[in-house]
Amino acid sequence: MITPSPLPRVAAPQLGVPESEALGRVRAFADDLGRRRTVRDFDDRPIPDGVLEEAVRVAATAPSGAHVQPWRFVIVTDLSVRERLRAAAEAEEREFYTRRAPAEWLAALGPLGTDADKPFLQTAPALIAVFEVHLGPDSPRPYYVKESVGIAVGFLLAALHLAGLSTLTHTPSPMKFLNDILGRPAEERGFLLIPVGYPAPAATVPALVRKPLDEVLVRI
Ligand code: IYR
């Protein structure tokens, strides 16, 4: 096996944020991202041109194992494709809610009120299907795929929130139907299906409470 030679190196970016501004900036970011909520009831208001593509550009800046960038993002706005995705997801979800899910899991979902109906796949003006890209004819072996794609999706959700858009990290299971309907090759494996848009005027979200910092943070 030939070991490729190291890449040429360039200067690390000095981001130039004054130290006096550091806390204020990160606090403002926390407050802003803290307003993000998963939304399940979307308006049909269209998404401004170019926003989805730029948000994917943000996602694709994520770090990845061995810099393999093992992700693919499919933006779906075509209504007939969204309808097919809804029908296929609901078929899997009906199995999940009536047969596959253990009682304990259903109990955990109870407070959130989710069920097998997924109208948001049709009503949201856009869906972003996120795939992990595994070894294939045109793709190298990736490393830490879930970590890499998970970070990229975090960037994506933050970018869409910054643009004033709401999202839902939908996890239909299994996701093979995404490959079939979206025509993706076998080395691409569904990771998440993300409806994007504006909340319907009457949309509500559960009154969740986030854990206080001292419950999620340990300092040593
Ligand atoms: N995939 C199902 C079930 C589901 C599972 C979890 I964990 C959630 O946080 C929400 C839903 C569904 O999409 O309904």
Side-chain angles (χ1 to χ4, degrees):
M1 179 95 189
I2 302 161
T3 305
S5 53
L7 290 169
R9 301 189 66 87
V10 295
Q14 304 290 346
L15 300 178
V17 176
E19 284 164 38
S20 59
E21 287 180 25
L23 182 57
R25 286 173 72 145
V26 74
R27 207 172 253 161
F29 189 54
D31 288 345
D32 183 27
L33 213 51
R35 294 176 62 221
R36 183 197 169 273
R37 291 298 311 270
T38 284
V39 163
R40 295 176 190 276
D41 188 8
F42 289 88
D43 198 55
D44 59 8
R45 191 174 143 198
I47 295 168
D49 282 348
V51 169
L52 296 174
E53 291 77 3
E54 283 303 306
V56 170
R57 215 157 68 82
V58 173
T61 66
S64 62
H67 194 55
V68 170
Q69 307 168 78
W71 40 63
R72 182 85 67 236
F73 302 89
V74 180
I75 295 175
V76 184
T77 51
D78 185 291
L79 177 61
S80 66
V81 177
R82 287 187 280 132
E83 285 170 346
R84 288 174 63 202
L85 290 170
R86 174 186 179 177
E90 287 182 336
E92 296 293 1
E93 294 296 335
R94 266 190 289 281
E95 277 294 303
F96 173 82
Y97 282 93
T98 58
R99 266 182 274 279
R100 283 201 297 263
E104 190 188 32
W105 192 342
L106 291 179
L109 291 176
L112 302 177
T114 61
D115 59 30
D117 295 333
K118 305 298 175 192
F120 46 75
L121 294 177
Q122 191 177 329
T123 52
L127 307 173
I128 304 179
V130 183
F131 292 85
E132 304 169 2
V133 183
H134 291 264
L135 177 65
D138 302 310
S139 51
R141 180 177 301 285
Y143 304 93
Y144 296 107
V145 179
K146 291 206 184 294
E147 292 83 348
S148 305
V149 181
I151 295 167
V153 168
F155 282 22
L156 179 66
L157 299 180
L160 292 166
H161 174 77
L162 183 70
L165 291 162
S166 294
T167 49
L168 162 56
T169 48
H170 178 42
T171 50
S173 171
M175 294 199 208
K176 174 70 171 52
F177 70 88
L178 291 178
N179 293 70
D180 300 337
I181 295 174
L182 302 177
R184 302 313 305 167
E187 61 269 24
E188 296 186 12
R189 294 187 206 152
F191 183 75
L192 278 176
L193 183 56
I194 306 177
V196 185
Y198 297 97
T204 59
V205 294
L208 299 179
V209 177
R210 294 193 171 110
K211 291 181 180 176
L213 195 59
D214 66 2
E215 256 184 63
V216 299
L217 170 67
V218 177
R219 276 191 294 192
I220 297 173

